[in-house]
Amino acid sequence: MERETCLEVQEGRSKGGTSERRSKPSTFPGLARVFHASLSSASYTLTGSQPSNSPIWIRAQPDSGLLKDIAPGDFTLYTNVFSVGEQKELLNAALERLDEIRGVSRTIKKRRKEVMGVPTAASVEPNNPLNQFRPDDCYEFDEGHYDGVIHRYRESHVSAWPESAEELLAKARALMPGRPSLSAVQTHALHLASDGEILPHVDNVEASGKTILGMSLGASRVLRLQPKENGNPEDCVDILLESGSVYVQTESVRYNLVHGLPLEWQFRDRPLTPGQRMSIMIRDLYSTPISS
C-alpha cells in the first residue's frame, strides 16, 4: 500500500533585498522543495514511494530487499542547485584546471584551433552548458582507469580553484552532513567523453571518508544504484543527474550499494541528449579507526 507523506514546501520571493517566505504542505512522498528567487530546487531521498515525475526511479520490486538496510536519508538528490551562469562558471573552471594539471599536447592544441567556436552539439541552444565543451577529439581522454571502472575520461584532484568557483563549491559543500570546512575535504574533477561510462563499483573506502558529494555539469546521465552481489539487473535504482544538480551519498548507500553511470541515453521513457559530462566530486577525508 502506498503511503502518503506530508512534507513542508518553502517558497521564497526576493524583491528589493527582502525575502518573503511561506509554508504549505506537499502530498508528494519523499519530496521537499525550496525555491530560491527565480531558481527552484527540490530534494529527493530514497523513500519507497516516489511521484511519477521524480528523478529517482526505484526499479527494484518492493520485495527485492535492495533498500532493506538503506537509510532513505543516506542519499539525497538536489535539483537546480546552480543557475545556468553558475554551471558555466564551474564547468569552465574545471575544464581549465584539468588542462593545466594534465597538460595539453601539441596535437590537441592544433585540433582546438581548427574547431574554434564549434560547439559540441550544434543542435543545443546557445545557453546550454553543453556548449562549454569542445568536440570530443579536442581532449585526450584516458581509455581506462587503473582499476578498470572508468572508461573514456579525464580526471584529477584539484586543490586550487578560481575565487568565483570556490564560492560555488562552498555552496555545494554546505549540503554535506556537518558542513565540513575546506581543509576537511578533497575535491576532484571527472570529465567523461560522450561515450564515457563508469562501471558499477564502491569507491575505495580508505581513499576518502563516509560522504561523497557530486555536482553534475553538462549532459544528463543516469546514476544507477545496485546491490553489491550480482542479481537481477532490474533490481536497481536509477537517478537522473541533470546539469546543475548535486547528490550526496553517505553511510549505508556509500558502503552497501554499488553505483555507476551506464552508457545509456534514456531515463524512464525520456530520451537524453548524448554529450560530455563533468562531475566535481567532494569527499570528506578518511579517518583511521582508533583501535581498542
Side-chain angles (χ1 to χ4, degrees), residues 10 23 66 74 76 82 113 146 148-149 151 162 189 206 217 250 255:
Q10 293 184 315
S23 297
L66 177 66
D74 283 355
T76 305
F82 298 109
K113 288 183 178 180
Y146 71 92
V149 168
H151 299 274
E206 295 184 359
L217 303 166
T250 187
Y255 301 117

Side-chain angles (χ1 to χ4, degrees), residues 202-205 208-210 212 250-256:
V202 173
D203 289 337
N204 188 330
V205 297
S208 58
K210 63 183 180 181
I212 299 173
T250 187
E251 299 284 0
S252 61
V253 175
R254 161 93 163 94
Y255 301 117
N256 298 337

Side-chain angles (χ1 to χ4, degrees), residues 59-132:
R59 299 172 59 183
Q61 295 299 313
D63 60 354
S64 70
L66 177 66
L67 302 180
K68 177 183 177 183
D69 299 318
I70 301 299
D74 283 355
F75 185 96
T76 305
L77 173 68
Y78 301 91
T79 60
N80 297 321
V81 174
F82 298 109
S83 68
V84 171
E86 291 172 331
Q87 292 173 47
K88 290 183 174 181
E89 185 75 35
L90 280 171
L91 183 51
N92 278 332
L95 288 170
E96 289 178 4
R97 292 299 289 126
L98 283 177
D99 278 354
E100 292 166 357
I101 295 169
R102 293 170 55 95
V104 181
S105 70
R106 295 169 68 177
T107 300
I108 292 299
K109 288 180 180 179
K110 180 180 178 181
R111 175 59 181 155
R112 289 181 179 182
K113 288 183 178 180
E114 293 172 350
V115 300
M116 190 173 294
V118 178
T120 300
S123 60
V124 302
E125 59 272 20
N127 209 33
N128 193 309
L130 278 174
N131 277 310
Q132 304 303 108

Side-chain angles (χ1 to χ4, degrees), residues 224-265:
R224 181 162 294 159
L225 304 179
Q226 296 174 287
K228 280 186 177 181
E229 290 73 26
N230 294 331
N232 185 344
E234 296 297 314
D235 190 15
C236 63
V237 177
D238 279 357
I239 301 163
L240 180 62
L241 302 181
E242 296 185 291
S243 193
S245 67
V246 173
Y247 71 85
V248 180
Q249 64 172 351
T250 187
E251 299 284 0
S252 61
V253 175
R254 161 93 163 94
Y255 301 117
N256 298 337
L257 297 176
V258 298
H259 62 276
L261 264 68
L263 190 56
E264 299 176 8
W265 299 105

